[in-house]
Amino acid sequence: MELAGLSVAESIAAEYKRGKVLLCIGPGNNGGDGLVAARHLTQFGFRPSLFYPVQPSKDLYKALMLQCTAFKIPVIQDLDAGLNECDLIVDAIFGFSFKGSPRAPFDKALLALRETDKPIVAVDIPSGWDVEAGDPQGTGIRPDMLISLTAPKMCASSFSGRFHYLGGRFVPPEMTSAFGIPTYPDTSNCIRLA
């Protein structure tokens, strides 16, 4: 999660002006990546806040939230107000293993994200998309940036936003060519694909 979250923050910092960032955090690993990204975004000069309606009881997530608290990253309850006040949104709600229809409170959160005109950054895959098919019904969110972690998932072929990044440096060098993963520049944890 630490490397994934750092990759997300670096990708955002490469393309967006410093400003208010609302991170929409889910209860799983994708949400953990978002919590780490929030901390790094603070260090990069952004002003993050968290919409984190379902906080897991696992020690890992408690520790990540404790770190965000130490960085004075606020948690908001009113998603609509948070969307109105931010410059950028990070979708860290659901990851590639999510199946089925979103339940409350995330069903309404995804609807609000679909209706906003603010740019959205999706972590690994856009929440609500199928990892393989993408969003064939066209009812999902439309992110401005997609940050694929490890390798682009099949659904990335449906992505039509402005920026597509690869983050993480998770694949050993001897496997990168077999999977078509480009070489990361210098010590960067992210690389722009499109």
Side-chain angles (χ1 to χ4, degrees):
M1 277 182 200
E2 191 64 35
L3 189 53
L6 177 59
S7 300
V8 168
E10 284 184 5
S11 300
I12 290 169
E15 300 295 347
Y16 296 100
K17 292 180 182 176
R18 304 314 189 251
K20 293 182 179 179
V21 181
L22 175 63
L23 293 98
C24 298
I25 306 294
N29 290 343
N30 200 267
D33 297 342
L35 292 171
V36 172
R39 192 178 75 243
H40 289 293
L41 286 169
T42 299
Q43 293 176 317
F44 295 165
F46 289 86
R47 295 182 313 280
S49 60
L50 307 172
F51 175 70
Y52 193 19
V54 178
Q55 298 184 22
S57 60
K58 292 182 181 178
D59 288 342
L60 172 64
Y61 298 100
K62 288 180 180 179
L64 292 172
M65 192 58 217
L66 185 62
Q67 291 172 348
C68 288
T69 301
F71 276 82
K72 299 184 178 16
I73 299 171
V75 177
I76 65 160
Q77 305 302 320
D78 185 341
L79 178 59
D80 292 330
L83 292 172
N84 287 332
E85 295 171 8
C86 72
D87 302 306
L88 181 68
I89 302 158
V90 175
D91 161 29
I93 298 175
F94 300 127
F96 66 86
S97 62
F98 179 79
K99 302 277 190 263
S101 297
R103 295 186 305 268
F106 298 109
D107 54 348
K108 290 182 178 154
L110 291 180
L111 180 61
L113 292 180
R114 279 195 293 270
E115 294 176 351
T116 187
D117 59 354
K118 303 283 176 79
I120 298 174
V121 173
V123 176
D124 208 21
I125 72 167
S127 292
W129 283 31
D130 180 84
V131 69
E132 294 178 357
D135 184 31
Q137 277 73 41
T139 58
I141 62 172
R142 292 282 165 232
D144 187 49
M145 174 185 266
L146 173 62
I147 304 166
S148 296
L149 299 172
T150 306
K153 313 309 180 269
M154 287 177 64
C155 67
S157 65
S158 301
F159 173 68
S160 60
R162 293 187 301 160
F163 310 113
H164 185 193
Y165 273 73
L166 178 63
R169 290 186 103 132
F170 298 114
V171 180
E174 61 275 2
M175 295 176 65
T176 57
S177 61
F179 290 105
I181 296 173
T183 303
Y184 286 85
D186 298 320
T187 59
S188 179
N189 291 301
C190 62
I191 185 170
R192 186 171 172 176
L193 300 177

